[in-house]
Amino acid sequence: MIELFDSHAHLDHERFTEDKNEVLERARENGVQYILNASGDPISCYDSVALAETEDMIYAAVGIHPHEAKVFTEDTVELLRHLARKDKVVAIGEIGLDYYYDHSEREIQRDVFRKQIRIAREVGLPIIVHDRDAHEDTLIILKEENAQDVGGVFHCFSGSVQMAREILKMGFYISMAGPVTFKNSKKAPEVVGVVPEDRLLIETDCPYLSPEPKRGKRNEPGHVKYVAEKIAEIRGETFEQVAGYTTQNAKRLFGIND
Ligand code: NI
Protein backbone atom coordinates (compact mmCIF):
# COMPACT_ATOMS: atom_id res chain seq x y z
CA MET A 1 0.00 0.00 0.00
CA ILE A 2 1.22 3.49 -0.89
CA GLU A 3 1.80 5.79 2.08
CA LEU A 4 2.64 9.42 1.34
CA PHE A 5 3.60 12.08 3.89
CA ASP A 6 2.83 15.70 2.96
CA SER A 7 5.43 17.31 5.21
CA HIS A 8 4.21 20.91 4.80
CA ALA A 9 0.62 22.07 4.37
CA HIS A 10 -1.52 25.04 5.44
CA LEU A 11 -4.96 23.47 5.80
CA ASP A 12 -5.99 26.21 8.24
CA HIS A 13 -5.84 28.64 5.29
CA GLU A 14 -9.18 30.28 4.45
CA ARG A 15 -9.12 28.68 1.01
CA PHE A 16 -9.90 25.35 2.72
CA THR A 17 -12.70 26.59 4.97
CA GLU A 18 -15.49 25.44 2.67
CA ASP A 19 -14.37 21.94 1.73
CA LYS A 20 -11.71 20.70 4.16
CA ASN A 21 -13.34 17.28 4.59
CA GLU A 22 -13.46 16.67 0.84
CA VAL A 23 -9.83 17.78 0.56
CA LEU A 24 -8.81 15.27 3.26
CA GLU A 25 -10.88 12.55 1.60
CA ARG A 26 -9.11 13.14 -1.73
CA ALA A 27 -5.77 13.09 0.10
CA ARG A 28 -6.55 9.61 1.48
CA GLU A 29 -7.72 8.42 -1.95
CA ASN A 30 -4.35 9.53 -3.31
CA GLY A 31 -2.35 7.60 -0.71
CA VAL A 32 -1.63 10.39 1.77
CA GLN A 33 -1.47 8.96 5.29
CA TYR A 34 0.19 11.85 7.11
CA ILE A 35 0.09 15.64 6.85
CA LEU A 36 2.16 18.13 8.81
CA ASN A 37 0.33 21.44 9.12
CA ALA A 38 2.78 24.34 9.44
CA SER A 39 1.92 27.62 11.17
CA GLY A 40 2.86 31.20 10.42
CA ASP A 41 1.27 33.47 13.01
CA PRO A 42 -0.20 33.07 16.51
CA ILE A 43 -3.74 32.37 15.26
CA SER A 44 -2.59 29.71 12.82
CA CYS A 45 -0.62 28.09 15.66
CA TYR A 46 -3.89 27.58 17.55
CA ASP A 47 -5.66 26.47 14.35
CA SER A 48 -2.93 23.95 13.45
CA VAL A 49 -3.08 22.38 16.90
CA ALA A 50 -6.89 22.22 16.75
CA LEU A 51 -6.72 20.52 13.34
CA ALA A 52 -4.19 17.98 14.61
CA GLU A 53 -6.35 17.25 17.63
CA THR A 54 -9.43 16.53 15.49
CA GLU A 55 -7.85 14.67 12.53
CA ASP A 56 -5.77 11.54 13.08
CA MET A 57 -3.69 12.02 9.94
CA ILE A 58 -2.70 15.63 10.77
CA TYR A 59 0.27 16.69 12.91
CA ALA A 60 1.18 20.28 13.75
CA ALA A 61 4.18 22.56 13.70
CA VAL A 62 3.96 25.83 15.63
CA GLY A 63 6.03 28.89 14.83
CA ILE A 64 6.09 32.42 13.45
CA HIS A 65 6.87 32.90 9.75
CA PRO A 66 9.51 35.53 8.87
CA HIS A 67 6.77 37.62 7.20
CA GLU A 68 5.13 37.93 10.62
CA ALA A 69 8.32 38.42 12.66
CA LYS A 70 7.20 41.97 13.44
CA VAL A 71 4.33 40.67 15.61
CA PHE A 72 6.59 38.46 17.75
CA THR A 73 6.61 39.40 21.45
CA GLU A 74 7.45 37.82 24.81
CA ASP A 75 3.86 36.54 24.86
CA THR A 76 4.58 34.67 21.62
CA VAL A 77 7.48 32.91 23.33
CA GLU A 78 5.11 31.73 26.05
CA LEU A 79 2.49 30.67 23.50
CA LEU A 80 4.99 28.58 21.54
CA ARG A 81 6.38 26.97 24.69
CA HIS A 82 2.86 26.09 25.78
CA LEU A 83 1.67 24.67 22.42
CA ALA A 84 4.95 22.86 21.74
CA ARG A 85 4.25 20.53 24.64
CA LYS A 86 1.00 19.23 23.17
CA ASP A 87 1.01 15.62 21.96
CA LYS A 88 0.61 16.15 18.24
CA VAL A 89 2.92 19.14 17.94
CA VAL A 90 6.04 17.62 16.37
CA ALA A 91 8.07 20.62 15.13
CA ILE A 92 8.69 24.36 15.43
CA GLY A 93 7.86 26.12 12.18
CA GLU A 94 7.80 27.59 9.86
CA ILE A 95 10.63 29.85 10.92
CA GLY A 96 13.49 31.49 9.06
CA LEU A 97 14.30 34.41 6.79
CA ASP A 98 12.59 35.87 3.73
CA TYR A 99 14.63 38.55 1.98
CA TYR A 100 12.51 38.31 -1.17
CA TYR A 101 9.37 39.89 0.26
CA ASP A 102 10.92 41.65 3.28
CA HIS A 103 7.52 41.88 5.01
CA SER A 104 9.37 42.33 8.31
CA GLU A 105 12.66 44.18 8.77
CA ARG A 106 15.63 41.87 8.29
CA GLU A 107 17.10 42.64 11.69
CA ILE A 108 13.80 41.63 13.31
CA GLN A 109 13.56 38.49 11.16
CA ARG A 110 17.02 37.37 12.28
CA ASP A 111 16.27 38.05 15.94
CA VAL A 112 12.94 36.15 15.83
CA PHE A 113 14.55 33.24 13.96
CA ARG A 114 17.19 32.94 16.70
CA LYS A 115 14.61 33.12 19.48
CA GLN A 116 12.56 30.33 17.91
CA ILE A 117 15.59 28.07 17.42
CA ARG A 118 16.22 28.53 21.15
CA ILE A 119 12.64 27.47 21.92
CA ALA A 120 13.05 24.39 19.68
CA ARG A 121 16.22 23.44 21.57
CA GLU A 122 14.50 23.99 24.89
CA VAL A 123 11.50 21.77 24.02
CA GLY A 124 13.55 19.31 21.94
CA LEU A 125 11.65 19.61 18.65
CA PRO A 126 13.08 19.82 15.09
CA ILE A 127 12.61 23.04 13.10
CA ILE A 128 10.98 23.75 9.75
CA VAL A 129 13.11 26.31 7.97
CA HIS A 130 11.78 28.84 5.47
CA ASP A 131 14.69 30.40 3.55
CA ARG A 132 13.99 32.66 0.60
CA ASP A 133 16.90 34.64 -0.87
CA ALA A 134 18.62 34.51 2.52
CA HIS A 135 20.81 31.42 2.22
CA GLU A 136 23.94 32.90 3.76
CA ASP A 137 22.34 34.44 6.85
CA THR A 138 20.19 31.34 7.38
CA LEU A 139 23.27 29.11 7.54
CA ILE A 140 25.14 31.51 9.82
CA ILE A 141 22.25 31.64 12.30
CA LEU A 142 21.68 27.86 12.25
CA LYS A 143 25.36 27.35 13.05
CA GLU A 144 25.61 30.04 15.72
CA GLU A 145 22.47 28.78 17.46
CA ASN A 146 23.57 25.11 17.30
CA ALA A 147 20.39 24.18 15.46
CA GLN A 148 21.93 20.83 14.49
CA ASP A 149 21.21 19.69 18.06
CA VAL A 150 17.51 19.45 17.15
CA GLY A 151 17.82 19.18 13.35
CA GLY A 152 15.01 19.89 10.97
CA VAL A 153 14.10 20.40 7.36
CA PHE A 154 14.54 23.10 4.74
CA HIS A 155 11.04 23.28 3.33
CA CYS A 156 10.49 23.96 -0.38
CA PHE A 157 14.25 24.03 -0.79
CA SER A 158 15.37 26.59 -3.37
CA GLY A 159 19.14 26.62 -2.93
CA SER A 160 21.97 25.23 -5.04
CA VAL A 161 23.61 21.80 -4.91
CA GLN A 162 26.48 23.38 -2.97
CA MET A 163 24.12 24.78 -0.35
CA ALA A 164 22.29 21.43 -0.18
CA ARG A 165 25.59 19.71 0.59
CA GLU A 166 26.26 22.17 3.40
CA ILE A 167 22.93 21.69 5.11
CA LEU A 168 23.10 17.90 4.68
CA LYS A 169 26.46 18.04 6.45
CA MET A 170 24.69 19.77 9.36
CA GLY A 171 22.26 16.85 9.53
CA PHE A 172 19.26 18.64 8.04
CA TYR A 173 16.68 17.16 5.68
CA ILE A 174 15.64 18.71 2.36
CA SER A 175 12.02 18.93 1.29
CA MET A 176 10.82 19.31 -2.29
CA ALA A 177 7.55 20.94 -3.32
CA GLY A 178 5.69 21.73 -6.57
CA PRO A 179 8.45 23.84 -8.20
CA VAL A 180 10.54 20.70 -8.85
CA THR A 181 7.85 19.69 -11.37
CA PHE A 182 7.84 23.02 -13.24
CA LYS A 183 9.19 22.90 -16.79
CA ASN A 184 11.61 25.80 -16.22
CA SER A 185 12.93 24.30 -12.98
CA LYS A 186 16.73 23.87 -13.04
CA LYS A 187 18.25 23.94 -9.56
CA ALA A 188 15.63 21.78 -7.83
CA PRO A 189 16.06 18.72 -10.12
CA GLU A 190 19.85 19.01 -9.70
CA VAL A 191 19.45 19.01 -5.92
CA VAL A 192 17.07 16.03 -6.05
CA GLY A 193 19.81 14.15 -7.87
CA VAL A 194 22.31 14.51 -5.01
CA VAL A 195 20.28 14.22 -1.80
CA PRO A 196 20.77 10.83 -0.10
CA GLU A 197 17.68 8.64 0.11
CA ASP A 198 17.49 9.01 3.90
CA ARG A 199 17.32 12.86 3.82
CA LEU A 200 14.63 13.66 1.28
CA LEU A 201 11.08 14.78 2.14
CA ILE A 202 8.13 15.82 -0.03
CA GLU A 203 5.45 18.44 0.55
CA THR A 204 2.76 20.52 -1.10
CA ASP A 205 2.95 23.85 0.83
CA CYS A 206 -0.75 23.96 -0.11
CA PRO A 207 -2.74 26.05 -0.97
CA TYR A 208 0.36 27.47 -2.73
CA LEU A 209 2.73 26.11 -5.39
CA SER A 210 0.54 23.51 -7.08
CA PRO A 211 2.72 21.05 -9.03
CA GLU A 212 2.34 20.15 -12.69
CA PRO A 213 -0.19 19.13 -14.02
CA LYS A 214 -2.23 21.17 -11.51
CA ARG A 215 -0.11 24.32 -11.74
CA GLY A 216 -2.12 27.52 -11.26
CA LYS A 217 -4.93 25.79 -9.34
CA ARG A 218 -5.35 25.64 -5.58
CA ASN A 219 -2.91 23.08 -4.22
CA GLU A 220 -3.96 20.34 -1.75
CA PRO A 221 -2.26 17.38 -0.01
CA GLY A 222 -3.48 14.84 -2.60
CA HIS A 223 -1.19 16.56 -5.13
CA VAL A 224 1.95 15.52 -3.26
CA LYS A 225 1.97 12.39 -5.42
CA TYR A 226 3.04 14.52 -8.41
CA VAL A 227 6.11 15.66 -6.50
CA ALA A 228 6.95 12.02 -5.68
CA GLU A 229 6.43 10.99 -9.31
CA LYS A 230 8.78 13.72 -10.53
CA ILE A 231 11.45 12.74 -7.99
CA ALA A 232 11.15 9.10 -9.09
CA GLU A 233 11.64 10.18 -12.71
CA ILE A 234 14.71 12.31 -11.90
CA ARG A 235 16.36 9.65 -9.73
CA GLY A 236 15.43 6.65 -11.88
CA GLU A 237 13.46 5.07 -9.04
CA THR A 238 9.88 3.85 -8.74
CA PHE A 239 7.08 5.95 -7.31
CA GLU A 240 6.67 3.29 -4.59
CA GLN A 241 10.31 3.63 -3.54
CA VAL A 242 10.11 7.42 -3.28
CA ALA A 243 6.82 7.24 -1.36
CA GLY A 244 8.35 4.67 0.98
CA TYR A 245 11.55 6.44 1.96
CA THR A 246 10.17 10.00 2.07
CA THR A 247 7.45 8.82 4.47
CA GLN A 248 9.95 6.94 6.65
CA ASN A 249 12.20 10.02 6.70
CA ALA A 250 9.40 12.35 7.79
CA LYS A 251 8.27 9.94 10.50
CA ARG A 252 11.84 9.67 11.81
CA LEU A 253 12.40 13.44 11.77
CA PHE A 254 9.09 14.23 13.50
CA GLY A 255 9.28 11.29 15.92
CA ILE A 256 6.05 9.65 14.73
CA ASN A 257 5.82 5.97 15.68
CA ASP A 258 2.66 4.10 14.85
NI1 NI B 1 4.57 27.19 4.15
Side-chain angles (χ1 to χ4, degrees), residues 28-155:
R28 288 185 200 97
E29 283 164 12
N30 283 292
V32 178
Q33 293 280 334
Y34 307 91
I35 299 168
L36 181 78
N37 206 71
S39 306
D41 62 23
I43 289 172
S44 79
C45 288
Y46 282 113
D47 290 346
S48 290
V49 173
L51 266 173
E53 285 175 347
T54 40
E55 285 292 339
D56 267 1
M57 73 192 301
I58 302 181
Y59 292 80
V62 295
I64 307 302
H65 192 286
H67 289 346
E68 306 297 329
K70 53 186 178 284
V71 307
F72 195 95
T73 64
E74 274 311 301
D75 287 346
T76 321
V77 174
E78 287 314 309
L79 172 70
L80 294 177
R81 277 185 180 138
H82 166 69
L83 294 178
R85 294 199 164 87
K86 302 219 172 234
D87 272 353
K88 286 187 82 190
V89 175
V90 296
I92 298 296
E94 54 186 290
I95 64 175
L97 304 173
D98 194 310
Y99 292 175
Y100 180 78
Y101 285 108
D102 281 322
H103 286 335
S104 291
E105 274 177 50
R106 292 184 180 182
E107 189 59 41
I108 295 172
Q109 290 188 41
R110 289 190 286 267
D111 180 54
V112 167
F113 186 27
R114 285 181 191 278
K115 284 183 172 142
Q116 294 186 99
I117 295 169
R118 288 172 200 162
I119 295 170
R121 284 165 47 86
E122 182 190 310
V123 298
L125 289 179
I127 58 175
I128 301 193
V129 180
H130 172 106
D131 158 27
R132 185 136 188 221
D133 289 358
H135 302 327
E136 206 181 310
D137 282 2
T138 301
L139 283 178
I140 290 170
I141 290 175
L142 289 175
K143 283 178 185 154
E144 286 181 0
E145 297 294 334
N146 294 311
Q148 68 272 19
D149 290 353
V150 286
V153 55
F154 272 67
H155 110 85

